[in-house]
Short mmCIF file of all heavy atoms in Angstrom, two decimals:
data_model
loop_
_atom_site.label_atom_id
_atom_site.label_comp_id
_atom_site.label_asym_id
_atom_site.label_seq_id
_atom_site.Cartn_x
_atom_site.Cartn_y
_atom_site.Cartn_z
N THR A 109 -111.39 -22.71 -25.53
CA THR A 109 -110.18 -22.66 -26.36
C THR A 109 -109.10 -23.49 -25.71
O THR A 109 -108.93 -23.49 -24.50
CB THR A 109 -109.68 -21.22 -26.56
OG1 THR A 109 -109.59 -20.61 -25.28
CG2 THR A 109 -110.61 -20.43 -27.45
N LYS A 110 -108.41 -24.22 -26.57
CA LYS A 110 -107.33 -25.06 -26.08
C LYS A 110 -106.04 -24.30 -26.33
O LYS A 110 -105.84 -23.75 -27.40
CB LYS A 110 -107.33 -26.37 -26.88
CG LYS A 110 -106.89 -27.56 -26.08
CD LYS A 110 -107.08 -28.82 -26.90
CE LYS A 110 -106.22 -29.93 -26.38
NZ LYS A 110 -106.26 -31.10 -27.26
N LYS A 111 -105.21 -24.25 -25.32
CA LYS A 111 -103.94 -23.56 -25.49
C LYS A 111 -103.06 -24.34 -26.44
O LYS A 111 -102.99 -25.57 -26.38
CB LYS A 111 -103.23 -23.43 -24.14
CG LYS A 111 -103.43 -22.08 -23.51
CD LYS A 111 -102.40 -21.84 -22.44
CE LYS A 111 -102.51 -20.41 -21.97
NZ LYS A 111 -101.81 -20.17 -20.75
N ILE A 112 -102.41 -23.64 -27.33
CA ILE A 112 -101.49 -24.29 -28.27
C ILE A 112 -100.21 -24.61 -27.52
O ILE A 112 -99.59 -23.74 -26.92
CB ILE A 112 -101.21 -23.38 -29.48
CG1 ILE A 112 -102.53 -23.12 -30.22
CG2 ILE A 112 -100.17 -24.00 -30.39
CD1 ILE A 112 -102.42 -22.04 -31.27
N GLN A 113 -99.86 -25.87 -27.59
CA GLN A 113 -98.63 -26.27 -26.91
C GLN A 113 -97.44 -26.00 -27.83
O GLN A 113 -97.41 -26.43 -28.97
CB GLN A 113 -98.70 -27.77 -26.60
CG GLN A 113 -99.56 -28.09 -25.39
CD GLN A 113 -98.97 -27.53 -24.11
OE1 GLN A 113 -97.78 -27.63 -23.88
NE2 GLN A 113 -99.80 -26.92 -23.29
N SER A 114 -96.49 -25.28 -27.32
CA SER A 114 -95.31 -25.03 -28.14
C SER A 114 -94.20 -25.96 -27.67
O SER A 114 -94.21 -26.47 -26.55
CB SER A 114 -94.88 -23.57 -28.04
OG SER A 114 -93.90 -23.42 -27.06
N LYS A 115 -93.29 -26.21 -28.59
CA LYS A 115 -92.17 -27.08 -28.28
C LYS A 115 -91.18 -26.37 -27.35
O LYS A 115 -90.35 -27.00 -26.73
CB LYS A 115 -91.47 -27.47 -29.60
CG LYS A 115 -91.04 -28.91 -29.66
CD LYS A 115 -90.54 -29.27 -31.03
CE LYS A 115 -89.06 -29.03 -31.15
NZ LYS A 115 -88.51 -29.27 -32.47
N GLY A 116 -91.31 -25.07 -27.31
CA GLY A 116 -90.39 -24.29 -26.50
C GLY A 116 -89.12 -23.99 -27.28
O GLY A 116 -89.00 -24.38 -28.44
N PHE A 117 -88.24 -23.32 -26.66
CA PHE A 117 -86.99 -22.97 -27.33
C PHE A 117 -85.86 -23.84 -26.82
O PHE A 117 -85.84 -24.23 -25.66
CB PHE A 117 -86.65 -21.50 -27.05
CG PHE A 117 -87.64 -20.56 -27.64
CD1 PHE A 117 -88.61 -19.95 -26.85
CD2 PHE A 117 -87.63 -20.29 -29.01
CE1 PHE A 117 -89.54 -19.10 -27.41
CE2 PHE A 117 -88.54 -19.42 -29.56
CZ PHE A 117 -89.51 -18.83 -28.76
#
Side-chain angles (χ1 to χ4, degrees):
T109 50
K110 213 173 159 187
K111 261 198 172 166
I112 298 170
Q113 282 295 316
S114 95
K115 220 172 91 184
F117 295 102

